[in-house]
Amino acid sequence: QVQLVESGGGLVQAGGSLRLSCAASGRTFSSYVMGWFRQAPGKERELVTSITWNRGTTYYADSVKGRFTISRDNTKNTVYLQMNNLEPEDTAVYYCAARRYGFSSYNYWGQGTQVTVSS
């Protein structure tokens, strides 16, 4: 059974940093793309960043480029999201997700972790 478990959310002041972790288990993810999504109250869920598990190819939404960094540790089966220079607009529930490489839909999701940035 596939499980994605996020951790690391919390409350931080604007300009601060947080690191989210996503521990993946239940299968081999070498042919998967791992993504971080976020959903703010009243807004649609959006893809923030993603990384291919085998080559480490990354994608970033324009809103987080230069501030967020996604990485993965193959030995720990864990994906990280380092968030620097946080802004109040980054406040949202952050979700880790996985999809097969070459497919468009993410079919595995974590439970989400709350990130709140105060001004």
Side-chain angles (χ1 to χ4, degrees):
Q1 182 178 358
V2 173
Q3 278 195 313
L4 302 177
V5 180
E6 303 102 331
S7 61
L11 173 64
V12 65
Q13 288 188 332
S17 298
L18 282 175
R19 189 178 81 157
L20 306 183
S21 299
C22 172
S25 62
R27 69 166 305 123
T28 301
F29 289 92
S30 58
S31 60
Y32 275 72
V33 179
M34 306 299 294
W36 283 100
F37 287 76
R38 68 185 181 187
Q39 187 166 22
K43 294 188 177 181
E44 292 188 357
R45 185 168 55 192
E46 63 172 342
L47 176 63
V48 174
T49 179
S50 65
I51 188 168
T52 60
W53 201 280
N54 54 355
R55 292 190 175 186
T57 303
T58 58
Y59 159 84
Y60 293 95
D62 287 343
S63 57
V64 305
K65 279 181 182 176
R67 301 188 299 122
F68 290 12
T69 302
I70 190 171
S71 62
R72 83 265 190 252
D73 185 332
N74 292 346
T75 64
K76 296 182 179 180
N77 246 25
T78 299
V79 178
Y80 301 99
L81 179 61
Q82 178 66 44
M83 305 184 293
N84 298 328
N85 195 21
L86 282 160
E87 304 169 352
E89 293 74 22
D90 296 316
T91 295
V93 178
Y94 284 71
Y95 298 90
C96 176
R99 64 172 172 87
R100 286 286 301 271
Y101 187 79
F103 289 75
S104 59
S105 297
Y106 284 80
N107 51 345
Y108 298 116
W109 293 86
Q111 82 285 355
T113 185
Q114 177 70 45
V115 171
T116 303
V117 184
S118 63
S119 56

